[in-house]
Amino acid sequence: MLGNEDSFISHLIELRSRLMKASIVVIVIFLCLMPWAGTIYDFLARPMMLALPEGSKMIATGVITPFLIPVKVTMLVAFIISLPWVLYQMWAFIAPGLYAHEKKLIAPLVVSSSALFIAGIAFCYFLVFGVIFHFINNFAPKSISVAPDIDSYFGFVMTMFIAFGLTFEVPVIVIVLVRMGLVSVEKLKQIRPYVIVGAFVIAAVVTPPDVMSQLLLAVPLCLLYEVGLLLAPLFVKITQAPKESESV
């Protein structure tokens, strides 16, 4: 009984240590970026500013909003930059429960997860935002002066970034589920029609109500699901190869 309690406490201490290491890196990067917080927000707002009529600007309705929102954006950028380190700390925490040959796969999983999440954000920023904002501003009646609030804009951007970042993680999620034996590739292929329907439902909820925006989320989700189905058997074969060779 005492042994179980000691093991649980040691796991909590290890988790706290990993969280501290991840947080420190995020905070250090955040502090280094703070002098350019305004420039970073201007970059984030660029897709909207390009869609607005010439001479238009965003507005800030709160007293401290002009300071608070750029700070939040800078924290978001700091987290994205430090994402590989944060994911490494997560994988390192669960590493003791893995086989030796599985531990060697931590680096590829961390790199691929980070790259895919950042790719999803980049896809959203450089392609999706342009489509969405032009559609919204072109649809707005001429009697309306479009002047988005920076707080609302930040909330919308965060939602979209998370949605597309997680969407691009689908191949990794599929591979991990198959490798852990929670579901088979055959089962995932059988539920493909439900995944497609779910992708369009999620896209309809997350994105604005225009067909193009919904397609830009739903189609990549479906394609990345298929990529996961293709790569999962190969990943399982590679990770099981050492065990098979040992048994021989």
Side-chain angles (χ1 to χ4, degrees):
M1 190 71 176
L2 291 176
N4 292 333
E5 291 181 0
D6 292 341
S7 177
F8 178 72
I9 293 174
S10 65
H11 279 83
L12 288 179
I13 294 174
E14 174 69 13
L15 177 60
R16 184 185 66 177
S17 174
R18 295 295 177 184
L19 291 175
M20 287 293 294
K21 290 178 180 178
S23 301
I24 289 172
V25 171
V26 174
I27 292 173
V28 169
I29 295 176
F30 166 73
L31 293 176
C32 293
L33 293 176
M34 267 302 293
W36 297 276
T39 303
I40 293 173
Y41 182 83
D42 288 339
F43 179 78
L44 182 68
R46 191 168 184 272
M48 173 60 81
M49 299 307 297
L50 291 175
L52 291 175
E54 188 175 352
S56 299
K57 291 185 178 181
M58 292 186 176
I59 61 172
T61 56
V63 176
I64 63 172
T65 303
F67 167 78
L68 188 60
I69 297 302
V71 169
K72 289 182 178 180
V73 172
T74 305
M75 178 61 77
L76 172 64
V77 173
F79 177 77
I80 293 173
I81 293 174
S82 58
L83 187 60
W85 175 252
V86 173
L87 291 178
Y88 170 76
Q89 294 301 322
M90 293 174 57
W91 285 112
F93 176 71
I94 66 173
L98 303 176
Y99 291 105
H101 62 278
E102 291 176 329
K103 293 180 181 179
K104 297 178 182 178
L105 297 169
I106 290 178
L109 286 174
V110 168
V111 172
S112 60
S113 299
S114 303
L116 287 170
F117 192 86
I118 294 173
I121 292 176
F123 179 81
C124 180
Y125 177 86
F126 289 105
L127 180 62
V128 178
F129 281 170
V131 175
I132 292 176
F133 297 149
H134 277 93
F135 168 80
I136 293 174
N137 291 316
N138 290 334
F139 187 81
K142 300 298 181 182
S143 58
I144 296 177
S145 177
V146 181
D149 176 66
I150 61 173
D151 194 7
S152 299
Y153 178 76
F154 175 73
F156 175 80
V157 166
M158 281 289 294
T159 300
M160 295 294 289
F161 278 171
I162 293 173
F164 278 86
L166 293 179
T167 294
F168 275 62
E169 293 290 331
V170 167
V172 175
I173 295 173
V174 171
I175 290 172
V176 171
L177 289 176
V178 173
R179 179 61 188 89
M180 293 178 65
L182 298 177
V183 65
S184 65
V185 175
E186 291 71 22
K187 182 63 177 179
L188 291 175
K189 290 180 178 179
Q190 292 176 4
I191 65 173
R192 183 186 284 120
Y194 301 100
V195 173
I196 295 174
V197 173
F200 279 90
V201 171
I202 293 172
V205 172
V206 174
T207 63
D210 65 290
V211 176
M212 184 58 67
S213 300
Q214 294 172 11
L215 288 175
L216 288 174
L217 178 61
V219 172
L221 197 157
C222 295
L223 293 177
L224 290 167
Y225 183 78
E226 296 297 329
V227 171
L229 294 180
L230 291 174
L231 296 180
L234 178 62
F235 185 86
V236 172
K237 182 178 180 181
I238 293 174
T239 55
Q240 288 181 343
K243 296 176 70 175
E244 293 174 357
S245 61
E246 289 172 5
S247 62
V248 174

